[in-house]
Amino acid sequence: MSFEARLKFVLVRPQMGENIGGAARAMLNFGLDRMVIVNPRDGWPNAKAVKMASGAGRVLDQAIVVDNVPAALGNSHYVLATTARPRGLTKEVLNPDAAMMEAIRRIRDGQRVAVLFGPERSGLENGEIARSNAIISVPVNPNFPSLNLAQCVLLCAYEWAQARENADMNARDADVSDLASQNDIEKLADHYEDRLNEFGFFFPDDKSHIMRINLRNMWSRMPMKQADVKMFHGILRQMVRGNSDKNENP
């Protein structure tokens, strides 16, 4: 698998076909062609996206369309989320150049990397950012921080190309077969959220939403192997089983 094939750009709920097409052009300008589209507002395929993509139509032709962010992240090992502000989530915040250098480092080690881009009007939601491992924050004018979707894709694609050109691209002897994927982390998060909900952990109701986001954010900050994920599943199962036995034999 090529270096570029290990990097995918994920457009979350894009609202305008023109921006999807512009993003496709920006990606292909710098040698990237793996696009995933999450729940596009105007459906898919989109004639305006095709028109705007011009010579980059092949990026759209092979784009994958999914219903939600977890499905988009899939087997990725490392996720970057673009946002104009960190929003209080405890995460590493990187400039685009540093983010793409980190992407290069991880891809060189055999990992798969995803970059999340939010919808034009509101950007990514906190629950989506919570699933990322780090944040990409562009040092723009604080009085006008909004970037057009295609512009943001262009900026990250350019920094990718710069990082790739300047980095030592010799593959390392790293074994990533035992690293937890985003699918693994998602299932673990769901398991804990379901059981904790049963035990009334998410209380009071008006705090429940932010508590769930904080829990997801915690999992994304923990670099885990598949063995770690299995251990956490086992811990929870044993705790639930022990509590059930205690209730049956007071």
Side-chain angles (χ1 to χ4, degrees):
M1 180 181 290
S2 70
F3 278 85
E4 282 73 18
R6 292 184 178 274
L7 176 68
K8 61 184 175 184
F9 280 12
V10 180
L11 311 186
V12 180
R13 299 185 307 282
Q15 297 169 318
M16 298 179 63
E18 293 89 343
N19 280 333
I20 301 174
R25 291 183 66 175
M27 289 174 63
L28 198 57
N29 281 153
F30 297 102
L32 299 172
D33 60 9
R34 291 201 64 202
M35 175 185 284
V36 181
I37 307 172
V38 179
N39 194 20
R41 184 191 66 181
D42 297 334
W44 196 258
N46 186 299
K48 292 181 179 179
V50 173
K51 183 177 180 180
M52 186 66 184
S54 188
R58 72 179 179 89
V59 177
L60 300 181
D61 291 340
Q62 62 191 32
I64 298 172
V65 181
V66 297
D67 293 331
N68 52 61
V69 169
L73 299 180
N75 62 358
S76 301
H77 298 109
Y78 186 72
V79 180
L80 293 155
T82 59
T83 179
R85 56 194 187 282
R87 308 188 196 192
L89 295 172
T90 304
K91 283 189 186 297
E92 184 178 18
V93 180
L94 303 171
N95 287 338
D97 56 341
M100 291 302 102
M101 284 191 286
E102 179 65 17
I104 286 286
R105 185 185 72 78
R106 290 177 178 273
I107 289 172
R108 190 172 53 194
D109 284 346
Q111 297 184 40
R112 292 178 291 272
V113 176
V115 183
L116 295 175
F117 300 87
E120 294 88 329
R121 180 168 298 179
S122 58
L124 294 167
E125 296 178 355
N126 281 356
E128 294 158 347
I129 297 173
R131 287 176 164 85
S132 69
N133 302 106
I135 288 171
I136 300 176
S137 184
V138 181
V140 294
N141 179 0
N143 296 318
F144 189 62
S146 177
L147 274 180
N148 172 274
L149 172 60
Q151 291 175 331
C152 191
V153 169
L154 177 67
L155 178 60
C156 290
Y158 168 78
E159 292 296 352
W160 158 265
Q162 290 294 101
R164 198 190 191 301
E165 181 177 346
N166 297 325
D168 175 8
M169 299 308 293
N170 293 320
R172 298 175 181 173
D173 294 328
D175 182 9
V176 300
S177 61
D178 63 344
L179 290 182
S181 70
Q182 287 298 309
N183 278 332
D184 298 326
I185 302 300
E186 189 71 21
K187 290 176 182 177
L188 178 65
D190 286 343
H191 188 191
Y192 269 78
E193 190 170 310
D194 289 345
R195 296 290 85 79
L196 290 172
N197 189 52
E198 291 175 4
F199 286 106
F201 175 78
F202 299 109
F203 178 85
D205 288 343
D206 63 333
K207 303 287 187 181
S208 174
H209 179 66
I210 189 61
M211 290 173 72
R212 293 171 191 268
I213 289 176
N214 287 339
L215 183 61
R216 294 271 172 168
N217 194 45
M218 181 193 73
W219 294 122
S220 71
R221 294 202 310 269
M222 299 171 62
M224 285 193 283
K225 297 184 177 181
Q226 293 177 13
D228 300 324
V229 171
K230 291 178 181 177
M231 182 184 69
F232 276 114
H233 278 300
I235 289 171
L236 185 57
R237 291 192 187 100
Q238 188 60 40
M239 291 174 65
V240 171
R241 186 179 299 116
N243 184 74
S244 178
D245 292 342
K246 185 185 297 184
N247 290 336
E248 292 177 2
N249 302 288

